Amino acid sequence: MTGLVDAIAAEIGRDRLVSPDDVLGRALDPIGRQAPATWLIRPRSTQEVSAVLRLCHAAGQRLTVMGGATGLAGGLALAEDEWLLSLEAMRGIDIDAGNRVATMGAGAILQDVQDRVAEAGLSFPLDLGSRGSATIGGLIACNAGGEKALRFGMMREQVLGLEVVLPDGRVIDLMNSMVKNNTGYDLKQLFIGAEGTLGVVTRAVLRLRPHLPSRQTGFAALSQFDAVLKLKSAVEEALGNDLTAFEIMWPGFFDAVASAAGGALPVERGSAYYVIFEAEGGRAMTDDMFIEALEPVVEAGLVDDLVLARSNAERDGMWSLRNNIAALIAAYMPPIGYDVSIPLGKMEQFVAAVEAGVAQRWPDMRMTAFGHMGDNNLHLVVTLGAADAADKEALNHLIYGEVGKLGGSISAEHGLGSEKRDYLGYSRSPEAIALMREVRTLFDPRGILQQGRLLPDAEPRSPQDQ
């Protein structure tokens, strides 16, 4: 493909291409997967992205779009004939404080966006542990959720407008800075959560929110899952729309991060469940007001222990436990992770059924759960010890089978990628999958973008086929 490389270099500059020898070994995710020897293309503008896609489309060259390499969307496994397209050079951020919108390149890093928005006295509410590496384009492609989705919604709710380059190089201007715009099909929604299969997002207009000066955080230990549900209801009734986050941790998770903390813990170990919850408001909420709101919860005996953060340092300490995924992974090596949605009242049943099923087949297994309980999202981490591909496939069917039985989703916020695509039948009907395939073929008839991701190559097996 020397001719194609030369053609791309002529359009965007030879310095924007990284040779296969220099790409070899580049990190693709946090758990050690590395890039093969393949070309990496780093355009600086929408026009350059358009030129790259136009040339690759004509040549039939397959591309995979690389975001922040967080590994959350089912992994970035590359086929030998695929090249990498990175938007890391497209990181410009423009803040319009008066209209409460921000326009940015798809390569902008989430934390940079948050910091710039904060400097303007506003807030961008989507947040997650990988904020220091996750890119806006990747978050849009996977419709990311995060810790504040309970109140502010997922990435889909933050996007007002997009600029997208289609697989054949056409640029589609869907930029918009208004909350209300009912002018036909809302085409931007097709690209949010599509994992780059329909086109490459190059720019986005995001909705900003007012800065919320009041922030109160609580950390609770509980013995019964029913008490967790009652605590959530009580907190919502007491705090109303101020409740921003409600996160749950099973003992295995808490023990792993507590062991790595090396300091005082907000609550003692030994409980069945741990919850961190947070309220943010535009009005000042004093500690006494927050405590008064939670008094009925304590008086009802719902919690083993309840601690409120008295300082930013204590608050940061609480969240550092919840967000120390590195310590969790280290404790469950080699880890197998899952990102699912389960109806609230069935979460306890789901985790127990999975744990029993896994233990029956793999007696040496260990697993734990945690997640954004407020919006149905649970993460599982399982280690089977020495496991081969057949073990991994059997584990997937076991877990996704339980998800299907309970009417849940096999992907809550991280997308399907290449690892979940063959299990889509547990969450979507054959008719829905067929329509999704038709949409993909319409946008990318030559199949140059993100092949092997999102949709199975063949008709997926449904739960009834297992």
Side-chain angles (χ1 to χ4, degrees), residues 137-221:
L139 296 171
I140 291 171
C142 298
N143 189 29
E147 296 159 357
K148 299 184 179 183
L150 169 63
R151 177 172 177 180
F152 296 103
M154 297 176 70
M155 193 67 178
R156 189 180 302 279
E157 281 71 45
Q158 320 309 324
V159 178
L160 294 175
L162 291 179
E163 181 180 70
V164 182
V165 181
L166 298 185
D168 61 7
R170 285 179 293 165
V171 178
I172 307 299
D173 183 354
L174 303 173
M175 299 292 274
N176 165 70
S177 61
M178 299 168 291
V179 174
K180 289 185 176 181
N181 184 352
N182 283 333
T183 50
Y185 304 131
D186 191 359
L187 294 176
K188 72 175 183 293
Q189 298 296 346
L190 280 172
F191 301 97
I192 303 172
E195 300 182 37
T197 59
L198 305 182
V200 178
V201 172
T202 52
R203 290 196 301 153
V205 182
L206 303 183
R207 183 181 183 184
L208 306 181
R209 313 296 174 119
H211 170 63
L212 301 176
S214 174
R215 188 178 175 199
Q216 298 289 343
T217 309
F219 203 106

Side-chain angles (χ1 to χ4, degrees), residues 366-385:
R366 290 183 299 120
M367 68 166 282
T368 191
F370 67 103
H372 318 296
M373 178 182 169
D375 48 40
N376 301 105
N377 188 183
L378 277 186
H379 300 296
L380 301 181
V381 177
V382 183
T383 182
L384 305 178

Side-chain angles (χ1 to χ4, degrees), residues 33 127 138 181 217 250 253 255 274 370 399 422 430 453 458:
R33 281 183 286 201
D127 193 30
N181 184 352
T217 309
W250 264 251
F253 179 98
D255 288 344
Y274 302 86
F370 67 103
I399 291 176
D422 291 332
R453 282 85 174 172

Side-chain angles (χ1 to χ4, degrees), residues 276-392:
I276 181 171
F277 57 94
E278 190 162 88
E280 295 180 82
R283 62 191 183 282
M285 178 183 287
T286 65
D287 290 345
D288 289 342
M289 292 168 61
F290 194 55
I291 292 171
E292 182 179 352
L294 295 173
E295 277 182 357
V297 175
V298 177
E299 291 174 355
L302 296 179
V303 298
D304 299 339
D305 196 3
L306 174 62
V307 177
L308 305 181
R310 299 289 188 172
S311 65
N312 287 335
E314 288 187 6
R315 178 181 300 110
D316 292 344
M318 291 176 178
W319 278 109
S320 70
L321 291 171
R322 164 59 182 83
N323 289 329
N324 194 355
I325 305 303
L328 176 67
I329 291 174
Y332 283 80
M333 289 294 290
I336 306 173
Y338 295 87
D339 158 50
V340 300
S341 281
I342 301 294
L344 289 181
K346 298 179 180 179
M347 283 185 174
E348 180 184 29
Q349 173 189 345
F350 168 73
V351 174
V354 169
E355 193 163 26
V358 176
Q360 182 177 10
R361 177 158 181 169
W362 298 279
D364 296 330
M365 76 88 194
R366 290 183 299 120
M367 68 166 282
T368 191
F370 67 103
H372 318 296
M373 178 182 169
D375 48 40
N376 301 105
N377 188 183
L378 277 186
H379 300 296
L380 301 181
V381 177
V382 183
T383 182
L384 305 178
D388 57 21
D391 287 321
K392 176 68 180 298

